[in-house]
Amino acid sequence: MTDDIKNGAETADIEFRGVSRHFGDVIAVNNVDISIPRGGFVSFLGPSGCGKTTFLRMIAGFEQPDSGDVLLRGESVVGVPAFKRPVNMVFQHYALFPHLNVADNIGYGIKQVNRKISKKELATRVGETLEMVRLPGFQERNIWEMSGGQQQRVALARALINRPNVLLLDEPLAALDRKLRRDMQIELQNLQREVGITFVLVTHDQEEALSMSDTVCLMKEGRIVQTGSPQDLYKEPLSPYVADFVGKSNFFKGISEGAGAVKLTCGRIVEGRAPLTVELPPKSSAAVVCVRPEMIHIAAEGNKGASEHAMYFTGNIVNRIFLGENTEYVVRIDELGDVLVMSSRLSEASTGTFEPNQSVTIGWDKDATLIFADT
Amino acid sequence: MKIYAIFVYAFLYLPIALVIFFSFNAGNYALDFQGFSTRWYAKALTNPFIMDALWFSVKVAALSAVMSTVFGTMAALALQRLSGWKRTFYDALIYVSIMVPGIVIAIATLIALVTVFKFLNPFLEVLAPLFDGQAPKLSLGFVSLVAAHSLFTMSLVVVIVRARLSGMDRTLIEASEDLYASPFRTFVQVTLPQLMPGILAAFLLSFTFSFDDFIISFFVAGPNTTLPVYIFSSIRRGITPEVNVIGTVVLVGSLILLFSAQFLSTMGKGKKRSASKDDSDDS
């Protein structure tokens, strides 16, 4: 099976064919087939230890596959060392050379390839690249004089100046604070559109992956479990694992009744639908029902609103987490256990806020209910 | 400060202060101060025996420091690539050679060298016709002393360079290779500059250790005399202010080297720390 992103086999920048990589007994990458088209922004998302970094390092050439083939623009690069590959990487902690100033760091790659480049030409290109990452005039600065965000941009410039076929980003924003991370997310997206080369990002932060990339590959234990647009992954997850990792979800176990209904362990029957391209579990088999917390309506008990939905339950609030734009409630329902509900400020304008220990009714619609086979 | 602490320092440094003080003695006897003068400095620095010994010591120290730095750095780089029991084993060997008393190393080196010379010299006889009947003969001297000092100081170099190497960011090497630099160019352009403060410190320390060494030199130098050996033998003829002068000059020289070694080995670390410190104040 090949996950062809946008059927781009001919214009693929990167192609993996049955690639596996083991470390001792641990399988880091397990028989992965994927084709990444030219000019996209692809994220590899997954928890630590899922093999995403090994995957990236095999593209860079720091790791070689145990089996399978890695192709860059149609040519196998198995056995080709990192310094001969037309890809560049932005390292997690930037890995800028502390004994060189900003200009020498950025010019490093060019000087390796073209040792006879004139100082003037090199200076021009370094200057252009610094302007691209919005650090004009920083040529003579020392690395240790710069803040994390500035170092990040130097690392970007050092990679981009070589005009690689592919830019690899290894958790590039992990070391930045929240506000700066937001700015860099937008900047990276703009930069990618500007230079038009393929960006491959590896991250464990779902927000980073969803916000920046046009394709997300979710990984689990060395395999890619779902490839698609951020919207697809969020709205049509192929498995409970995806629904759990991308965004937040409530899961309820039960037995499939067939025809889009599940009898929960408490005895209540809920109706729902299977995600697109996924089959409903057969009748009488174990099933899992998934409901996103923001799709659940919450209202004070006895108050109409929540009880108008297809499914509704009554319980007590045990916890409230104020997040600014949203509030998260944990509601204890006798039949279901603890349910996470997210309420926006807009909806709270009509329902009001709720206090811990308050009795509430929660409800959701059939469309908001996804049904998976329980494996 | 507690009073006994002052005594400890006094006990340590007063004798040294006295050596410096009496090196400016005008009189003929080391411990009988007859007034201030630099005449013993003039005398010591024109004494051909002292100058020969000094020159010999400097040559031995410089050459052995170069050799131990080169080979010690190579060994440190190689050890870094080992893993598991091999690394532990060779590491242990390095530390043992630092901790073994100098006298043991001196005797062992002497016996080893003499045995090797005894074994090799008959073979060198064969070459006699090429050298007008006078076959070259291996014996103790400059070369054997340089070899002994190099081996002895090499373990110091390994320890110092290893410390620097393990503190180095390994991703720098990957970054260099990612930017099209071959492993050799990566070594020259990234690894070596990163290690340089450590290597220079190791060189200076090796130089001082070799220059100050008495025991190994005494056993292995053969007919030659290093400065410490000369001082030892001249003391037996009575202490003159000349010895104090030599002591003072050597002390000052050693201190300069040690302080520069210390300065070099800490250089760059402070900068590195501040580089990763603050991520928040982007402008």
Side-chain angles (χ1 to χ4, degrees), chain B residues 104-117:
Chain B
V104 178
I105 292 182
I107 296 172
T109 315
L110 178 66
I111 294 172
L113 285 172
V114 169
T115 313
V116 171
F117 292 165

Side-chain angles (χ1 to χ4, degrees), chain A residues 6-54:
Chain A
K6 294 183 203 157
N7 66 35
E10 271 174 30
T11 56
D13 252 346
I14 304 163
E15 212 181 327
F16 274 52
R17 291 183 186 158
V19 172
S20 294
R21 178 80 172 102
H22 305 244
F23 295 105
D25 292 339
V26 182
I27 303 171
V29 172
N30 189 358
N31 197 17
V32 166
D33 290 285
I34 193 165
S35 170
I36 296 172
R38 202 169 289 186
F41 197 141
V42 183
S43 289
F44 285 81
L45 175 66
S48 58
C50 72
K52 58 190 191 299
T53 300
T54 308

Side-chain angles (χ1 to χ4, degrees), chain B residues 206-242:
Chain B
S206 301
F207 186 93
T208 341
F209 266 68
S210 162
F211 190 78
D212 287 350
D213 171 72
F214 172 77
I215 305 171
I216 297 176
S217 307
F218 188 73
F219 279 71
V220 183
N224 306 78
T225 309
T226 68
L227 195 63
V229 174
Y230 173 84
I231 296 171
F232 178 74
S233 51
S234 74
I235 279 174
R236 285 191 296 196
R237 284 179 259 122
I239 306 170
T240 62
E242 205 171 25

Side-chain angles (χ1 to χ4, degrees), chain B:
Chain B
M1 201 191 282
K2 292 277 193 317
I3 195 83
Y4 55 79
I6 292 172
F7 274 108
V8 169
Y9 278 96
F11 186 75
L12 272 174
Y13 288 107
L14 263 183
I16 295 175
L18 282 178
V19 165
I20 298 170
F21 176 72
F22 280 109
S23 70
F24 295 104
N25 192 358
N28 283 329
Y29 300 100
L31 298 175
D32 178 18
F33 198 75
Q34 302 269 318
F36 182 85
S37 151
T38 53
R39 83 175 172 106
W40 286 103
Y41 277 85
K43 199 153 183 225
L45 297 178
T46 51
N47 181 337
F49 295 108
I50 294 177
M51 293 321 284
D52 279 355
L54 177 69
W55 180 230
F56 184 73
S57 276
V58 168
K59 274 195 299 188
V60 169
L63 199 58
S64 66
V66 167
M67 295 198 23
S68 67
T69 306
V70 170
F71 291 116
T73 304
M74 285 162 72
L77 287 165
L79 278 172
Q80 189 73 14
R81 297 206 166 186
L82 288 182
S83 57
W85 69 269
K86 282 186 189 161
R87 188 160 164 179
T88 319
F89 176 72
Y90 286 108
D91 266 353
L93 283 186
I94 297 282
Y95 284 107
V96 164
S97 76
I98 290 177
M99 285 186 296
V100 164
I103 186 77
V104 178
I105 292 182
I107 296 172
T109 315
L110 178 66
I111 294 172
L113 285 172
V114 169
T115 313
V116 171
F117 292 165
K118 218 169 161 186
F119 177 76
L120 286 178
N121 277 335
F123 292 100
L124 291 175
E125 294 282 347
V126 183
L127 299 172
L130 294 174
F131 294 87
D132 299 333
Q134 193 62 284
K137 208 171 169 214
L138 294 171
S139 60
L140 294 175
F142 178 71
V143 176
S144 64
L145 189 58
V146 168
H149 277 182
S150 306
L151 282 174
F152 162 66
T153 50
M154 205 176 100
S155 34
L156 286 172
V157 177
V158 173
V159 170
I160 294 170
V161 176
R162 273 291 294 284
R164 184 88 196 172
L165 203 53
S166 62
M168 183 180 151
D169 186 359
R170 307 293 295 171
T171 56
L172 291 181
I173 289 166
E174 286 186 347
S176 169
E177 295 194 352
D178 187 59
L179 293 164
Y180 318 119
S182 62
F184 176 73
R185 283 174 70 88
T186 297
F187 177 75
V188 174
Q189 294 173 142
V190 177
T191 314
L192 216 50
Q194 287 293 301
L195 297 182
M196 209 30 108
I199 293 175
L200 283 176
F203 174 84
L204 293 179
L205 216 60
S206 301
F207 186 93
T208 341
F209 266 68
S210 162
F211 190 78
D212 287 350
D213 171 72
F214 172 77
I215 305 171
I216 297 176
S217 307
F218 188 73
F219 279 71
V220 183
N224 306 78
T225 309
T226 68
L227 195 63
V229 174
Y230 173 84
I231 296 171
F232 178 74
S233 51
S234 74
I235 279 174
R236 285 191 296 196
R237 284 179 259 122
I239 306 170
T240 62
E242 205 171 25
V243 171
N244 289 333
V245 167
I246 301 168
T248 308
V249 170
V250 169
L251 176 74
V252 170
S254 296
L255 282 181
I256 290 173
L257 285 186
L258 276 175
F259 279 127
S260 4
Q262 185 64 30
F263 174 72
L264 286 170
S265 67
T266 53
M267 196 181 77
K269 282 184 186 169
K271 292 165 180 171
K272 223 176 170 183
R273 215 168 287 139
S274 66
S276 54
K277 192 188 64 184
D278 203 5
D279 291 331
S280 55
D281 58 356
D282 192 32
S283 49

Side-chain angles (χ1 to χ4, degrees), chain A residues 57 62 83 85 88-89 95-99 108 112-113 115 144 147-148 150-151 153 158 162 175 177 180, chain B residues 171-172 174-183 185 189-190 193-194 271 274-275 278-283:
Chain A
R57 291 171 62 81
F62 301 133
F83 68 93
R85 295 192 184 193
N88 286 114
M89 182 139 153
L96 298 172
F97 305 121
H99 59 289
Y108 192 92
Q112 308 309 314
V113 179
R115 289 182 210 178
W144 65 84
S147 70
Q150 291 169 334
Q151 290 187 27
R153 290 187 205 170
R158 186 177 71 171
N162 306 301
D177 66 55
L180 198 52
Chain B
T171 56
L172 291 181
E174 286 186 347
S176 169
E177 295 194 352
D178 187 59
L179 293 164
Y180 318 119
S182 62
R185 283 174 70 88
Q189 294 173 142
V190 177
Q194 287 293 301
K271 292 165 180 171
S274 66
D278 203 5
D279 291 331
S280 55
D281 58 356
D282 192 32
S283 49

